[in-house]
């Protein structure tokens, strides 16, 4: 979901934890990376793992000082930890911190997924939950452009295990789509994976 050709873009990862996404971006050749996290422990572990692009900072305080500074701002499994009011404030700050044409990319639990509560309610600190429609409404209401919401599939090591999971998922998702059809609603605008990927452009 990142621009593939330009490896010089400025990327900020919010709530980056030990910097796993930062490290993955480095391996793909991206050079200008910053990760921020509020946890001393997470930052310390990141540095022990030689991910020195990770720094300790409060997300809101940091973004307020970085207007038009980044090409991409990502947040993996973080936006669900804010109330709706806080999330609106956060997304507004993210927009100000992006350069024109820059992208915001989030992953968050999906409330339309079968057994959504396993992911959405599995963490007591989660405050709000989205589905595809709500995610689009959030970003469009704050004047983001080219808003897209993608399924987020989970992969594990082992071709056979992934094949079995893929077949089981096809069966389960097909039955859910039939239920939607029977209820009079189209499944074309419904994502069923446990998580959503949201991408939007300033």
């Amino acid at each position: 979901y990142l621009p593939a050709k330009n490896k010089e873009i400025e990327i900020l990862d919010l709530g980056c934890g030990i910097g796993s996404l930062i490290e993955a971006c480095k391996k793909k050749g991206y050079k200008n990376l910053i990760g921020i996290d509020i946890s001393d422990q997470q930052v310390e572990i990141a540095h022990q793992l030689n991910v020195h692009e990770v720094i300790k900072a409060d997300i809101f305080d940091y973004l307020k000082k970085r207007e038009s500074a980044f090409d991409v701002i990502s947040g993996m499994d973080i936006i669900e930890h804010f109330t709706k009011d806080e999330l609106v404030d956060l997304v507004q700050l993210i927009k100000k911190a992006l350069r024109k044409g820059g992208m915001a990319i989030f992953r968050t639990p999906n409330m339309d997924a079968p057994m959504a509560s396993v992911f959405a309610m599995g963490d007591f600190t989660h405050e709000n939950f989205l589905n595809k429609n709500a995610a689009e409404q959030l970003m469009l209401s704050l004047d983001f452009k080219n808003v897209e919401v993608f399924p987020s599939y989970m992969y594990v090591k082992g071709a056979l295990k992934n094949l079995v999971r893929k077949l089981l998922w096809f069966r389960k998702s097909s039955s859910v789509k039939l239920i939607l059809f029977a209820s009079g609603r189209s499944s074309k605008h419904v994502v069923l994976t446990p998580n959503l990927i949201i991408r939007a452009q300033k």
Side-chain angles (χ1 to χ4, degrees):
Y1 301 106
L2 294 174
K5 294 182 179 180
N6 184 3
K7 304 296 184 179
E8 302 292 334
I9 58 173
E10 303 275 351
I11 300 174
L12 171 66
D13 187 30
L14 304 175
C16 66
I18 62 173
S20 55
L21 182 61
I22 296 292
E23 182 64 18
C25 288
K26 287 169 65 175
K27 290 179 179 178
K28 289 292 185 179
Y30 295 96
K31 299 175 182 179
N32 299 309
L33 303 157
I34 299 174
I36 62 172
D37 201 278
I38 196 65
S39 167
D40 288 314
Q41 184 181 31
Q42 296 290 297
V43 174
E44 182 180 351
I45 294 173
H47 292 176
Q48 290 172 358
L49 295 171
N50 293 317
V51 188
H52 296 287
E53 294 84 356
V54 175
I55 61 174
K56 181 185 178 184
D58 176 85
I59 288 174
F60 288 90
D61 292 340
Y62 187 86
L63 289 173
K64 288 174 183 177
K65 303 173 184 177
R66 299 295 189 278
E67 187 167 342
S68 301
F70 298 100
D71 300 290
V72 175
I73 298 178
S74 61
M76 302 298 107
D77 307 324
I78 184 172
I79 62 174
E80 62 271 16
H81 292 273
F82 299 98
T83 65
K84 288 184 177 181
D85 287 343
E86 290 170 338
L87 181 56
V88 169
D89 290 342
L90 175 62
V91 175
Q92 287 177 325
L93 287 173
I94 288 171
K95 186 181 177 186
K96 288 181 180 178
L98 285 168
R99 295 189 176 108
K100 186 177 180 179
M103 291 192 307
I105 304 176
F106 307 117
R107 184 176 72 180
T108 191
N110 173 26
M111 286 308 295
D112 282 342
M115 300 182 68
S117 63
V118 173
F119 290 83
M121 305 302 295
D123 187 333
F124 184 68
T125 64
H126 287 180
E127 292 283 349
N128 80 83
F129 310 105
L130 302 173
N131 63 6
K132 180 177 180 178
N133 283 342
E136 290 175 342
Q137 289 170 17
L138 170 67
M139 304 307 289
L140 290 170
S141 69
L142 297 174
D143 203 28
F144 275 85
K145 313 297 182 186
N146 301 321
V147 178
E148 299 172 283
V149 180
F150 305 99
S152 176
Y153 294 98
M154 305 292 286
Y155 296 96
V156 296
K157 292 182 179 179
L160 179 59
K161 186 179 288 187
N162 275 319
L163 177 60
V164 171
R165 292 175 69 170
K166 188 174 183 178
L167 291 172
L168 290 171
W169 178 251
F170 175 78
R171 180 178 177 181
K172 180 63 178 179
S173 60
S174 296
S175 67
V176 173
K177 289 177 182 178
L178 284 173
I179 293 171
L180 286 169
F181 173 77
S183 70
R185 180 168 182 178
S186 171
S187 62
K188 290 182 179 179
H189 300 290
V190 177
V191 173
L192 296 175
T193 52
N195 291 301
L196 301 170
I197 300 290
I198 306 163
R199 183 173 67 180
Q201 191 172 31
K202 179 174 178 178

